[in-house]
Amino acid sequence: MTQSTSLAPPLARPRAAGRRTVLAALAVAIIAVLPLVVSPYWTTVATNAALAFAIAAPLNLLTGNAGQFSLGNAAFLVVGAYTGAYVTFTFDLELPIAMLAAAAAGALVGLIVGLPSLRLRGAYLLMSTLAAHYILVFAALKFQTSQFGAAGAIFPPLRIAGVDLSGERSMYFVIAVFAALIGLIIANIMRSGHGRALEAVKARDVAAAACGISVARAKLWVWSLTSAMIAAAGVLQAYYLGSASVEYYTLNLAITYVAMILVGGLGSLGGSLLGACFVTLVPVGVNHLSDAYGGEGGGILAYPHELQTVIYGLIIIAFVLLKPDGLIGLVRSATDRVVRVRQGR
Amino acid sequence: MTDFLNALLSGAGFGALYGLVALGLVVIFKSTGILNFSGGALMAVGGVVAAGLGAQGFWIAAGIAVVAVAGVGAVANLTVMRPLLGRGLFPGVMVTIGLTSVIEGSSGILFGRQPRFLADPIGVPTFQLPFGTSMSSTLAVAFGLSAAATALLAVAFRRTSVGLQLRAAAVRPEVAAMFGANPGRIFTYAWAVAGGLAALAGALLASLTVADISIAAFALRAFAAMIVGGVDSLGGAFLGGILVGVTELLAGTYLGDDFRLPSTMVVLMVFLMVRPQGLFGTPEVVRP
Amino acid sequence: MKGSLPGELVIDRLGLRFGGVVALREVSLTHHPDEVLGIIGPNGAGKTSLINAVTGIYPPSAGSVRYRGTPLTGLSPESIVATGIARTFQHNQLCGDLTVRENVLLGCHLRLGYGVVKAALGIGPARRAERRLRGEVEPLLELLNLEHAADERAGSLPYGLQKRVEMARALALRPTTLLLDEPAAGTSDADRAALVRIIKHLRGEGSCSVVLIEHDVGLVMEVSDRVAVLDWGECIVVDTPEVIATDARVLAAYLGVDDTHADVSESA
């Protein structure tokens, strides 16, 4: 109960099923048409955002819905990437199989990393995920050295069933489809009784038990499932980046995804999407500014990296202090206003 | 044997540095309940500031850095930390992470990116000790300063009215306020103390290695020190730091340098699983 | 659980201590099928501790609890719930961010009938089960006059309504025994009247027996078949309301005449 309501914007509100279908159709349409209408540069940005969503959404289910504040997501990514690399290189398997293997490894590791949550809470649990991050990344480093060499795992261009999918546009579609699948699964869970149970585990674990919910089992499945999803995303990410090396999987990377769910809105799938897009766009925006006005004598714009770091920090602080329900909170209050105006109130 | 003793000595020295940062974490956690992720950034910026003033010699440079970063801590509390009181773990952690970003980025913009160096605190670079062992003089100074700071703080917590108010505010802010304590001001003291301690560690680390904002990562061990010692124990932070530092150096000596950080994380994990209240902390009594 | 008879709860020499603090000392009580058993006692007498020990939140340090012949001691809270014992909490334990209906649906968790995988795939069985459960909670919302608030955030409701949501959630478990922990504390006269009506309804319907822990002695006397009095962690008397009302020991407990146990501190 120490991690009470602060971690807790509302679950999906009851909405008309019709509106949901419309929204889903709209989303599919946008995803499908996007790369055809925007430049390759923006296709890359969209790919990055979709990938970020596929990682942020499971994290949000774990942290936002189930109240398990974790910094372990970068470690799950590397577990996935290296499991994927290992089975791909060793058995020459297709991407979907590699992702399934990565998900299985992620589920197992997630279960283990989630075990402390049965005994620890709050700051202590967070510390255990921090320790798990470094221990797993270290294990990955040893695995990398023994299996792939110092440079890490180099992934071949993506092919599925003999079809070359390594182009920017096909990569975008592969990642978008995966992200949509993750989104669908999480939406289904959040709408189900098991999603409700997670909210109870987060807010009131005593009451959850009084409803016959096994708090321990709920925590373990959500750790396991979300880690499996993140690990599977790790394979795609590594394919997309072309390689996987432990230097990439830092604590800062893990924090980036936490920042996404914070900025977007905790416990909300739409929030994960908005947060993923927003945080992906911050460096893009700063780089544009810097390119346009930076250069010689450009003041602080001559330090785009530092500026980015400062802005990123300010965004996190601003959202916690001023908009704790995130961007999705803005969207909700806006739609509420529209509805009220339409009803003539 | 010499290796072993050297690892113990250096470990204790490095551990004392982690202890300094952990001490700051404990002071903040004890009084405000916030788990501070910006200890590393405060430490690193302290090192950078001290190294920037390197021409003044170690002690003056370190002194100014301590005061400056204490100011940064106080300002941080007054601006962004205070509104978070009572809002739970997540907001506090995220704001201190944001603060880390702001401090690290600003440091680059204000002081540039180039690494700097800082002179040793005392003229002799290393002390030659019996059995062929030796210890860096900076680490010896670090050990002494860390022990002194811990003792001083422990006394201050117990004897002074500010210390009493800090303890009261930690347990029951509303009750403390009723008895005339001003929690707002007290939390500012806590942050200033944490900033100063981190800056001192940063200056020492800068003279040991190099002053660069990236030394912030060193302070991760402070979390391990904090948990090992017990999140609410000042002496625990110091001893926890020593234990973590010695573990790290032993792992580095016998297993290889890449085992250093992971070994501290293993210690952290083991304590969380076996004795989450740490060596000297108060066990959390959970009652609904 | 539906259709089965309301149960018999046997508490035998139950003891509970926190460090040096004794919360319960050799409490023995039998809750007969079909009856409303009231438990009263001054602040810190151990009333809530008794419920917490029975429902497995605190493992008792001595004695045993049996429910319809099944030993409960050592079972986890969720396994105890599965035997048919539901409870409410003295301090509301609702999920403030869920709606009232969702909170009541939480009480149906044991009857979800689908696992996480089916939930994740969003396939037929999960959807049908959700529809069925939503149908099942409607009568409960009606019984407790909560229909109009069903889609409100539970956290936004006034205290008295929240207490009713708690009771609806407990009843959604379809318990054979319901433990109510101070359901009237801090509520209005109207809420109190509704509470009396509901307890009498449950009593009359015979689907569920009730243990009522309450500070409001008048309320307990009004609805209980028997009343137990706790004082300083001990059960000092169990009898019908009429007898209790005239018992000198009860009076002494409430007026604090006997002060010899002053070293035992409160623990409710």
PDB file of all heavy atoms in Angstrom, chain B residues 163-188:
ATOM      1  N   GLY B 163      18.457  18.418  13.928  1.00  0.00           N
ATOM      2  CA  GLY B 163      18.491  16.971  13.803  1.00  0.00           C
ATOM      3  C   GLY B 163      17.237  16.336  14.368  1.00  0.00           C
ATOM      4  O   GLY B 163      16.624  15.449  13.769  1.00  0.00           O
ATOM      5  N   LEU B 164      16.822  16.851  15.525  1.00  0.00           N
ATOM      6  CA  LEU B 164      15.627  16.329  16.170  1.00  0.00           C
ATOM      7  C   LEU B 164      14.418  16.550  15.272  1.00  0.00           C
ATOM      8  O   LEU B 164      13.580  15.668  15.081  1.00  0.00           O
ATOM      9  CB  LEU B 164      15.434  17.028  17.514  1.00  0.00           C
ATOM     10  CG  LEU B 164      14.295  16.472  18.362  1.00  0.00           C
ATOM     11  CD1 LEU B 164      14.646  15.080  18.854  1.00  0.00           C
ATOM     12  CD2 LEU B 164      14.013  17.395  19.541  1.00  0.00           C
ATOM     13  N   GLN B 165      14.369  17.766  14.700  1.00  0.00           N
ATOM     14  CA  GLN B 165      13.236  18.073  13.831  1.00  0.00           C
ATOM     15  C   GLN B 165      13.241  17.189  12.590  1.00  0.00           C
ATOM     16  O   GLN B 165      12.203  16.763  12.109  1.00  0.00           O
ATOM     17  CB  GLN B 165      13.277  19.544  13.420  1.00  0.00           C
ATOM     18  CG  GLN B 165      12.994  20.483  14.592  1.00  0.00           C
ATOM     19  CD  GLN B 165      13.080  21.939  14.192  1.00  0.00           C
ATOM     20  OE1 GLN B 165      12.962  22.276  13.032  1.00  0.00           O
ATOM     21  NE2 GLN B 165      13.298  22.803  15.164  1.00  0.00           N
ATOM     22  N   LEU B 166      14.449  16.927  12.075  1.00  0.00           N
ATOM     23  CA  LEU B 166      14.557  16.041  10.909  1.00  0.00           C
ATOM     24  C   LEU B 166      13.986  14.671  11.228  1.00  0.00           C
ATOM     25  O   LEU B 166      13.240  14.090  10.469  1.00  0.00           O
ATOM     26  CB  LEU B 166      16.029  15.882  10.503  1.00  0.00           C
ATOM     27  CG  LEU B 166      16.530  16.763   9.372  1.00  0.00           C
ATOM     28  CD1 LEU B 166      18.035  16.620   9.230  1.00  0.00           C
ATOM     29  CD2 LEU B 166      15.856  16.389   8.065  1.00  0.00           C
ATOM     30  N   ARG B 167      14.375  14.175  12.417  1.00  0.00           N
ATOM     31  CA  ARG B 167      13.888  12.844  12.783  1.00  0.00           C
ATOM     32  C   ARG B 167      12.382  12.861  12.977  1.00  0.00           C
ATOM     33  O   ARG B 167      11.671  11.965  12.543  1.00  0.00           O
ATOM     34  CB  ARG B 167      14.590  12.370  14.057  1.00  0.00           C
ATOM     35  CG  ARG B 167      15.989  11.836  13.791  1.00  0.00           C
ATOM     36  CD  ARG B 167      16.506  11.082  14.984  1.00  0.00           C
ATOM     37  NE  ARG B 167      16.734  11.983  16.095  1.00  0.00           N
ATOM     38  CZ  ARG B 167      16.794  11.600  17.371  1.00  0.00           C
ATOM     39  NH1 ARG B 167      16.617  10.333  17.673  1.00  0.00           N
ATOM     40  NH2 ARG B 167      17.013  12.459  18.324  1.00  0.00           N
ATOM     41  N   ALA B 168      11.909  13.920  13.630  1.00  0.00           N
ATOM     42  CA  ALA B 168      10.471  14.021  13.867  1.00  0.00           C
ATOM     43  C   ALA B 168       9.728  14.130  12.546  1.00  0.00           C
ATOM     44  O   ALA B 168       8.718  13.461  12.321  1.00  0.00           O
ATOM     45  CB  ALA B 168      10.165  15.229  14.745  1.00  0.00           C
ATOM     46  N   ALA B 169      10.265  14.955  11.651  1.00  0.00           N
ATOM     47  CA  ALA B 169       9.611  15.160  10.367  1.00  0.00           C
ATOM     48  C   ALA B 169       9.557  13.859   9.584  1.00  0.00           C
ATOM     49  O   ALA B 169       8.624  13.607   8.821  1.00  0.00           O
ATOM     50  CB  ALA B 169      10.343  16.232   9.565  1.00  0.00           C
ATOM     51  N   ALA B 170      10.580  13.044   9.787  1.00  0.00           N
ATOM     52  CA  ALA B 170      10.622  11.780   9.058  1.00  0.00           C
ATOM     53  C   ALA B 170       9.490  10.878   9.512  1.00  0.00           C
ATOM     54  O   ALA B 170       8.835  10.224   8.707  1.00  0.00           O
ATOM     55  CB  ALA B 170      11.962  11.094   9.293  1.00  0.00           C
ATOM     56  N   VAL B 171       9.258  10.829  10.826  1.00  0.00           N
ATOM     57  CA  VAL B 171       8.255   9.917  11.345  1.00  0.00           C
ATOM     58  C   VAL B 171       6.855  10.455  11.093  1.00  0.00           C
ATOM     59  O   VAL B 171       5.987   9.779  10.560  1.00  0.00           O
ATOM     60  CB  VAL B 171       8.477   9.672  12.850  1.00  0.00           C
ATOM     61  CG1 VAL B 171       7.544   8.595  13.349  1.00  0.00           C
ATOM     62  CG2 VAL B 171       9.919   9.264  13.104  1.00  0.00           C
ATOM     63  N   ARG B 172       6.622  11.673  11.457  1.00  0.00           N
ATOM     64  CA  ARG B 172       5.283  12.268  11.367  1.00  0.00           C
ATOM     65  C   ARG B 172       5.384  13.744  11.023  1.00  0.00           C
ATOM     66  O   ARG B 172       5.445  14.588  11.909  1.00  0.00           O
ATOM     67  CB  ARG B 172       4.557  12.128  12.709  1.00  0.00           C
ATOM     68  CG  ARG B 172       3.987  10.772  13.000  1.00  0.00           C
ATOM     69  CD  ARG B 172       2.669  10.601  12.256  1.00  0.00           C
ATOM     70  NE  ARG B 172       2.223   9.221  12.250  1.00  0.00           N
ATOM     71  CZ  ARG B 172       1.544   8.653  13.238  1.00  0.00           C
ATOM     72  NH1 ARG B 172       1.233   9.356  14.286  1.00  0.00           N
ATOM     73  NH2 ARG B 172       1.172   7.399  13.152  1.00  0.00           N
ATOM     74  N   PRO B 173       5.417  14.077   9.727  1.00  0.00           N
ATOM     75  CA  PRO B 173       5.591  15.489   9.368  1.00  0.00           C
ATOM     76  C   PRO B 173       4.534  16.379  10.018  1.00  0.00           C
ATOM     77  O   PRO B 173       4.843  17.471  10.503  1.00  0.00           O
ATOM     78  CB  PRO B 173       5.441  15.492   7.850  1.00  0.00           C
ATOM     79  CG  PRO B 173       5.389  14.090   7.410  1.00  0.00           C
ATOM     80  CD  PRO B 173       5.270  13.197   8.589  1.00  0.00           C
ATOM     81  N   GLU B 174       3.270  15.884  10.067  1.00  0.00           N
ATOM     82  CA  GLU B 174       2.216  16.769  10.569  1.00  0.00           C
ATOM     83  C   GLU B 174       2.390  17.025  12.064  1.00  0.00           C
ATOM     84  O   GLU B 174       2.160  18.118  12.559  1.00  0.00           O
ATOM     85  CB  GLU B 174       0.829  16.226  10.233  1.00  0.00           C
ATOM     86  CG  GLU B 174       0.397  14.915  10.887  1.00  0.00           C
ATOM     87  CD  GLU B 174       1.068  13.672  10.278  1.00  0.00           C
ATOM     88  OE1 GLU B 174       1.847  13.823   9.320  1.00  0.00           O
ATOM     89  OE2 GLU B 174       0.821  12.563  10.777  1.00  0.00           O
ATOM     90  N   VAL B 175       2.863  15.991  12.781  1.00  0.00           N
ATOM     91  CA  VAL B 175       3.084  16.168  14.218  1.00  0.00           C
ATOM     92  C   VAL B 175       4.262  17.104  14.438  1.00  0.00           C
ATOM     93  O   VAL B 175       4.224  18.011  15.282  1.00  0.00           O
ATOM     94  CB  VAL B 175       3.341  14.807  14.896  1.00  0.00           C
ATOM     95  CG1 VAL B 175       3.633  15.019  16.380  1.00  0.00           C
ATOM     96  CG2 VAL B 175       2.136  13.902  14.723  1.00  0.00           C
ATOM     97  N   ALA B 176       5.324  16.914  13.657  1.00  0.00           N
ATOM     98  CA  ALA B 176       6.501  17.769  13.788  1.00  0.00           C
ATOM     99  C   ALA B 176       6.104  19.218  13.571  1.00  0.00           C
ATOM    100  O   ALA B 176       6.525  20.109  14.309  1.00  0.00           O
ATOM    101  CB  ALA B 176       7.568  17.350  12.784  1.00  0.00           C
ATOM    102  N   ALA B 177       5.255  19.438  12.574  1.00  0.00           N
ATOM    103  CA  ALA B 177       4.828  20.806  12.278  1.00  0.00           C
ATOM    104  C   ALA B 177       4.049  21.373  13.457  1.00  0.00           C
ATOM    105  O   ALA B 177       4.166  22.548  13.792  1.00  0.00           O
ATOM    106  CB  ALA B 177       3.975  20.820  11.016  1.00  0.00           C
ATOM    107  N   MET B 178       3.271  20.504  14.115  1.00  0.00           N
ATOM    108  CA  MET B 178       2.476  20.953  15.251  1.00  0.00           C
ATOM    109  C   MET B 178       3.359  21.474  16.375  1.00  0.00           C
ATOM    110  O   MET B 178       2.993  22.385  17.102  1.00  0.00           O
ATOM    111  CB  MET B 178       1.656  19.776  15.765  1.00  0.00           C
ATOM    112  CG  MET B 178       0.194  20.057  15.930  1.00  0.00           C
ATOM    113  SD  MET B 178      -0.705  18.501  15.961  1.00  0.00           S
ATOM    114  CE  MET B 178      -0.060  17.708  17.411  1.00  0.00           C
ATOM    115  N   PHE B 179       4.526  20.872  16.492  1.00  0.00           N
ATOM    116  CA  PHE B 179       5.422  21.285  17.565  1.00  0.00           C
ATOM    117  C   PHE B 179       6.402  22.353  17.102  1.00  0.00           C
ATOM    118  O   PHE B 179       7.474  22.520  17.664  1.00  0.00           O
ATOM    119  CB  PHE B 179       6.155  20.077  18.147  1.00  0.00           C
ATOM    120  CG  PHE B 179       5.256  19.242  19.000  1.00  0.00           C
ATOM    121  CD1 PHE B 179       4.664  18.101  18.477  1.00  0.00           C
ATOM    122  CD2 PHE B 179       4.954  19.617  20.294  1.00  0.00           C
ATOM    123  CE1 PHE B 179       3.806  17.336  19.244  1.00  0.00           C
ATOM    124  CE2 PHE B 179       4.091  18.849  21.055  1.00  0.00           C
ATOM    125  CZ  PHE B 179       3.518  17.712  20.541  1.00  0.00           C
ATOM    126  N   GLY B 180       6.064  23.037  16.046  1.00  0.00           N
ATOM    127  CA  GLY B 180       6.838  24.190  15.655  1.00  0.00           C
ATOM    128  C   GLY B 180       7.961  23.913  14.681  1.00  0.00           C
ATOM    129  O   GLY B 180       8.648  24.827  14.259  1.00  0.00           O
ATOM    130  N   ALA B 181       8.172  22.639  14.329  1.00  0.00           N
ATOM    131  CA  ALA B 181       9.197  22.361  13.329  1.00  0.00           C
ATOM    132  C   ALA B 181       8.673  22.841  11.986  1.00  0.00           C
ATOM    133  O   ALA B 181       7.483  22.791  11.727  1.00  0.00           O
ATOM    134  CB  ALA B 181       9.507  20.884  13.278  1.00  0.00           C
ATOM    135  N   ASN B 182       9.569  23.300  11.145  1.00  0.00           N
ATOM    136  CA  ASN B 182       9.174  23.739   9.816  1.00  0.00           C
ATOM    137  C   ASN B 182       9.700  22.721   8.817  1.00  0.00           C
ATOM    138  O   ASN B 182      10.845  22.779   8.411  1.00  0.00           O
ATOM    139  CB  ASN B 182       9.766  25.123   9.566  1.00  0.00           C
ATOM    140  CG  ASN B 182       9.463  25.628   8.174  1.00  0.00           C
ATOM    141  OD1 ASN B 182       9.052  24.865   7.297  1.00  0.00           O
ATOM    142  ND2 ASN B 182       9.666  26.911   7.961  1.00  0.00           N
ATOM    143  N   PRO B 183       8.861  21.753   8.446  1.00  0.00           N
ATOM    144  CA  PRO B 183       9.367  20.661   7.616  1.00  0.00           C
ATOM    145  C   PRO B 183       9.984  21.166   6.325  1.00  0.00           C
ATOM    146  O   PRO B 183      11.015  20.689   5.886  1.00  0.00           O
ATOM    147  CB  PRO B 183       8.121  19.827   7.325  1.00  0.00           C
ATOM    148  CG  PRO B 183       7.123  20.221   8.351  1.00  0.00           C
ATOM    149  CD  PRO B 183       7.438  21.624   8.746  1.00  0.00           C
ATOM    150  N   GLY B 184       9.380  22.217   5.747  1.00  0.00           N
ATOM    151  CA  GLY B 184       9.914  22.734   4.491  1.00  0.00           C
ATOM    152  C   GLY B 184      11.377  23.102   4.637  1.00  0.00           C
ATOM    153  O   GLY B 184      12.222  22.687   3.850  1.00  0.00           O
ATOM    154  N   ARG B 185      11.687  23.872   5.690  1.00  0.00           N
ATOM    155  CA  ARG B 185      13.058  24.316   5.863  1.00  0.00           C
ATOM    156  C   ARG B 185      13.972  23.127   6.168  1.00  0.00           C
ATOM    157  O   ARG B 185      15.091  23.030   5.692  1.00  0.00           O
ATOM    158  CB  ARG B 185      13.131  25.356   6.982  1.00  0.00           C
ATOM    159  CG  ARG B 185      14.459  26.075   6.961  1.00  0.00           C
ATOM    160  CD  ARG B 185      14.655  26.963   8.175  1.00  0.00           C
ATOM    161  NE  ARG B 185      13.486  27.750   8.525  1.00  0.00           N
ATOM    162  CZ  ARG B 185      13.193  28.071   9.788  1.00  0.00           C
ATOM    163  NH1 ARG B 185      13.965  27.679  10.768  1.00  0.00           N
ATOM    164  NH2 ARG B 185      12.121  28.792  10.053  1.00  0.00           N
ATOM    165  N   ILE B 186      13.426  22.204   6.969  1.00  0.00           N
ATOM    166  CA  ILE B 186      14.233  21.049   7.369  1.00  0.00           C
ATOM    167  C   ILE B 186      14.603  20.191   6.171  1.00  0.00           C
ATOM    168  O   ILE B 186      15.728  19.723   6.025  1.00  0.00           O
ATOM    169  CB  ILE B 186      13.460  20.242   8.411  1.00  0.00           C
ATOM    170  CG1 ILE B 186      13.422  21.054   9.697  1.00  0.00           C
ATOM    171  CG2 ILE B 186      14.117  18.911   8.655  1.00  0.00           C
ATOM    172  CD1 ILE B 186      12.434  20.545  10.667  1.00  0.00           C
ATOM    173  N   PHE B 187      13.644  20.009   5.264  1.00  0.00           N
ATOM    174  CA  PHE B 187      13.935  19.203   4.080  1.00  0.00           C
ATOM    175  C   PHE B 187      14.978  19.893   3.210  1.00  0.00           C
ATOM    176  O   PHE B 187      15.791  19.242   2.554  1.00  0.00           O
ATOM    177  CB  PHE B 187      12.657  18.930   3.291  1.00  0.00           C
ATOM    178  CG  PHE B 187      11.652  18.123   4.079  1.00  0.00           C
ATOM    179  CD1 PHE B 187      10.298  18.213   3.813  1.00  0.00           C
ATOM    180  CD2 PHE B 187      12.081  17.286   5.100  1.00  0.00           C
ATOM    181  CE1 PHE B 187       9.384  17.470   4.554  1.00  0.00           C
ATOM    182  CE2 PHE B 187      11.172  16.552   5.840  1.00  0.00           C
ATOM    183  CZ  PHE B 187       9.815  16.645   5.565  1.00  0.00           C
ATOM    184  N   THR B 188      14.946  21.233   3.221  1.00  0.00           N
ATOM    185  CA  THR B 188      15.981  21.958   2.475  1.00  0.00           C
ATOM    186  C   THR B 188      17.357  21.675   3.080  1.00  0.00           C
ATOM    187  O   THR B 188      18.322  21.452   2.356  1.00  0.00           O
ATOM    188  CB  THR B 188      15.686  23.464   2.503  1.00  0.00           C
ATOM    189  OG1 THR B 188      14.357  23.669   2.027  1.00  0.00           O
ATOM    190  CG2 THR B 188      16.661  24.224   1.623  1.00  0.00           C
TER     191      THR B 188
END
